[in-house]
Amino acid sequence: MTPAELAEVVLSAAHAVFEDRGLDRSALPAQTTVERPRNPEHGDYASTLALQLSKKVGVPPRELATALADQLGKAAGVKSVEIAGPGFLNIRLDAAAAGQLAKVIVEAGPAYGRSDALAGQRINLEFVSANPTGPVHIGGVRWAAVGDALSRLLRATGADVGTEYYFNDAGSQIDRFARSLLAAAQGQPAPEDGYGGAYIAEIAAEVVKRRPEVLDLDEAAAQEIFRVEGVQLMFAEIKSSLRDFGVEFDTYFNEKDLHDRGELDKALDRLREQGHLYESEGATWLRTTDFGDDKDRVLRKSNGEWTYFAADCAYYLDKRERGFERVVIMLGADHHGYIGRMKAMAACFGDDPDRNLEILIGQLVNLLRDGAPVRMSKRAGTVVTLEDLVDAIGVDASRYALARYSSDSPIDIDVELWTRATRDNPVYYVQYVAARTASVGRNAAEVGLTRGEAAGFHAELLSHEKENELLKALAEFPAVVSSAAELRGPHLVARYLERLAGAYHRFYDNCRILPRGDEEVTDLHRARLWLNDATRVVIANGLRLLGVSAPERM
């Protein structure tokens, strides 16, 4: 019996109690939930339904809980129901009902854990969006791992998600990039405000190879070629490195397109219609202070130049007009000040900032080697890049390490820890279960042990304490996925997988799955193989949500 099925049983019992007592059935919810008690001694599941309904129908909670417990006790699969505190229901399932979950999971396969919790929501998820002036640094890599995992979670819970990379190919930083490339091609040092690192020389050399005439042109013409060609080469490299990291986007959106299509003027007109623009000192301002911002924001300078914030406004409007109800933007730790102005901007467009715009801020990441932070990349010169991280610990460990922590917490990634083939390495600990469950399956086949037909599955034989513990852990997965999507927290999946891995290891150590020697294959062996294979399904499903592999061998 799954938690969802038990919740339906609880609600059905409530309907029966209300009918017997002549209580107002309109007070009953359309659905309810059950939860795992913090203390396993309190039962398999707990329900607070009696507490929730007590005031609505004017019946003391313990009296209502007693009636519900009596009714629940008659339900198939329910072993016992105890009343705790003011009216909590602690429910224990019999072994057969609990064990059926293994069959449910194996038969569901990749679908186990998926739901329609966020069905109907159209979400635009923007992440990474690093400027094409250098390789993706380690802070951006965090968003690559977390953002991609979040997109998988949102889709797994029914949301219609569009992932997006905002390609900033306009503005002063691109001009500095072009000047840096030109200087490198001419054998000159980088401009004082320019970019350094070996990658600049590499890209400059490639531009000269493609356009050998560039060094014979005047400075302005040469710089324009380095801008166009250099940005194209840099962004191709960014896309390639992200692809190798397992991250691809539905849309790569060019900022320059906003300017070329007149989208900034369109956004300005919309904000003017809403009555939130004013002119001062020759500049055009957006009155964001009306919606809680600490100061009003310039959209167009007195010299006619657009500000970055004007492009932000146009880009937000574009997303909304493409039909996305909710715009989620992931930004680095140095962008915390953007939240107020962006929320105010959404309000200026007439949107609800709490419903239509969500901004997630990620904290810093440090790569440690021998206990000391790695400060610089051999290639980039000033930052640690995606390639540096992957070279140090690999793709799977990188993605898992970055997704394992709440995005609002700083991370120190210790190279020695995350490359260690021991249980204190979290990704190894989880992947080892994936490999071990697959190994059990191979070994079972060699000795002629198969699960057999589902109709012959004896769930009631899974009565060992460690089997029950593992079943309860497996049952948590759908709720974990739903919560992780709702709370924008892929780390909840990672931490769950580690708990599940622990439960499996304890099951494996205490409950022999394979027959010894010439021992006859029994229904218990088959039942335990169902449980082993169910664990393999859930581990693989969870790792897939994080973009991490579930190896069959290690």
Side-chain angles (χ1 to χ4, degrees):
M1 185 183 300
T2 67
E5 290 170 339
L6 177 58
E8 291 180 7
V9 171
V10 171
L11 191 57
S12 177
H15 276 275
V17 168
F18 272 48
E19 184 173 350
D20 287 347
R21 292 185 162 223
L23 300 175
D24 181 7
R25 297 178 66 177
S26 67
L28 289 166
Q31 58 185 19
T32 187
T33 59
V34 293
E35 299 177 350
R36 285 278 304 278
R38 291 183 180 179
N39 186 343
E41 294 181 0
H42 292 167
D44 297 324
Y45 295 98
S47 170
T48 59
L49 187 60
L51 295 170
Q52 297 168 17
L53 297 175
S54 173
K55 287 186 178 180
K56 292 181 180 180
V57 296
V59 177
R62 279 191 68 90
E63 180 182 332
L64 188 55
T66 300
L68 281 170
D70 290 343
Q71 191 66 39
L72 270 173
K74 304 173 186 176
V78 175
K79 181 179 180 181
S80 65
V81 184
E82 298 172 359
I83 303 166
F88 296 102
L89 294 172
N90 290 332
I91 305 167
R92 286 181 170 82
L93 302 179
D94 62 36
Q100 284 294 329
L101 180 66
K103 184 175 72 170
V104 169
I105 292 171
V106 171
E107 291 179 339
Y112 183 68
R114 303 182 70 88
S115 72
D116 295 325
L118 300 182
Q121 292 193 25
R122 286 208 69 203
I123 300 173
N124 181 281
L125 180 62
E126 181 199 341
F127 56 100
V128 184
S129 295
N131 289 335
T133 55
V136 179
H137 63 76
I138 197 167
V141 182
R142 182 176 197 176
W143 278 139
V146 174
D148 187 63
L150 181 53
S151 72
R152 295 165 185 251
L153 280 165
L154 293 170
R155 287 169 175 147
T157 47
D160 179 3
V161 182
T163 58
E164 198 143 317
Y165 188 118
Y166 184 51
F167 178 34
N168 189 339
D169 56 349
S172 59
Q173 81 282 356
I174 300 297
D175 294 336
R176 295 199 303 274
F177 179 61
R179 292 200 307 273
S180 301
L181 293 174
L182 177 58
Q186 294 173 335
Q188 302 294 323
E192 187 175 337
D193 62 346
Y195 296 91
Y199 77 96
I200 290 291
E202 293 169 8
I203 293 174
E206 182 61 28
V207 173
V208 172
K209 181 180 177 181
R210 289 184 174 193
R211 303 287 297 272
E213 79 282 4
V214 68
L215 295 179
D216 297 326
L217 302 175
D218 65 69
E219 185 171 336
Q223 185 175 315
E224 178 60 17
I225 288 177
F226 276 106
R227 186 191 73 79
V228 174
E229 296 282 350
V231 164
Q232 184 182 79
L233 286 165
M234 189 72 258
F235 194 55
E237 181 179 321
I238 289 172
K239 289 173 72 173
S240 176
S241 63
L242 287 170
R243 190 178 304 115
D244 291 343
F245 196 59
V247 179
E248 293 198 59
F249 292 84
D250 299 320
T251 302
Y252 294 92
F253 193 102
N254 285 26
E255 180 190 353
K256 192 171 181 294
D257 289 344
L258 291 171
H259 293 266
D260 294 345
R261 297 198 305 249
E263 298 292 327
L264 279 77
D265 285 305
K266 179 180 177 181
L268 209 69
D269 292 341
R270 180 71 61 86
L271 291 167
R272 185 174 283 111
E273 290 172 7
Q274 295 288 335
H276 299 300
L277 292 188
Y278 66 93
E279 308 292 326
S280 178
E281 300 177 354
T284 303
W285 296 70
L286 180 63
R287 194 177 285 105
T288 53
T289 52
D290 285 352
F291 298 99
D293 196 7
D294 59 343
K295 61 181 179 181
D296 292 340
R297 304 290 170 175
V298 177
L299 297 182
R300 202 166 202 166
K301 301 176 186 177
S302 57
N303 63 5
E305 291 182 1
W306 294 102
T307 63
Y308 287 123
F309 189 59
D312 290 338
C313 293
Y315 187 35
Y316 173 80
L317 181 61
D318 178 88
K319 289 177 179 178
R320 292 284 288 120
E321 291 191 335
R322 278 186 275 146
F324 291 105
E325 175 192 4
R326 193 169 188 86
V327 173
V328 181
I329 306 173
M330 296 179 159
L331 298 173
D334 57 342
H335 288 74
H336 201 278
Y338 276 54
I339 298 177
R341 74 188 72 169
M342 292 293 286
K343 290 282 189 178
M345 172 266 291
C348 287
F349 276 120
D351 282 350
D352 179 348
D354 294 326
R355 184 172 67 88
N356 300 119
L357 178 62
E358 183 177 348
I359 297 178
L360 306 177
I361 299 293
Q363 293 302 317
L364 300 176
V365 182
N366 290 311
L367 183 64
L368 304 183
R369 193 185 297 276
D370 298 325
V374 178
R375 297 294 186 191
M376 296 171 60
S377 166
K378 292 179 181 178
R379 183 163 178 263
T382 54
V383 294
V384 176
T385 68
L386 187 160
E387 288 79 6
D388 296 323
L389 180 61
V390 170
D391 287 347
I393 66 174
V395 171
D396 276 352
S398 296
R399 290 192 61 131
Y400 193 97
L402 291 165
R404 184 176 184 260
Y405 301 91
S406 174
S407 58
D408 58 6
S409 302
I411 306 176
D412 289 331
I413 297 178
D414 188 311
V415 171
E416 284 72 27
L417 170 65
W418 288 94
T419 53
R420 204 177 291 158
T422 57
R423 287 190 172 192
D424 57 346
N425 175 352
V427 71
Y428 178 86
Y429 186 61
V430 173
Q431 288 185 316
Y432 187 74
V433 172
R436 173 170 270 183
T437 52
S439 175
V440 167
R442 291 191 299 271
N443 293 336
E446 289 178 4
V447 300
L449 170 61
T450 65
R451 294 194 305 264
E453 296 297 325
F457 170 49
H458 289 271
E460 73 279 1
L461 298 177
L462 298 176
S463 58
H464 191 282
E465 176 189 358
K466 299 306 177 185
E467 293 166 342
N468 186 254
E469 180 185 340
L470 178 55
L471 284 162
K472 285 194 278 189
L474 292 169
E476 288 182 45
F477 184 59
V480 169
V481 174
S482 181
S483 294
E486 187 70 36
L487 299 174
R488 316 303 193 231
H491 66 284
L492 298 174
V493 174
R495 298 309 177 102
Y496 162 78
L497 290 174
E498 292 164 37
R499 295 195 305 274
L500 176 61
Y504 178 80
H505 286 308
R506 290 186 289 274
F507 156 73
Y508 183 88
D509 292 341
N510 288 274
C511 303
R512 185 166 183 81
I513 302 171
L514 305 178
R516 289 187 176 95
D518 295 330
E519 182 183 355
E520 183 181 350
V521 172
T522 67
D523 287 336
L524 178 58
H525 293 125
R526 297 187 185 93
R528 286 176 172 170
L529 186 58
W530 277 94
L531 186 50
N532 175 85
D533 293 354
T535 306
R536 166 79 190 174
V537 167
V538 176
I539 287 285
N541 289 357
L543 286 172
R544 189 180 303 114
L545 290 171
L546 301 178
V548 177
S549 69
E552 295 193 357
R553 290 178 170 85
M554 288 184 73

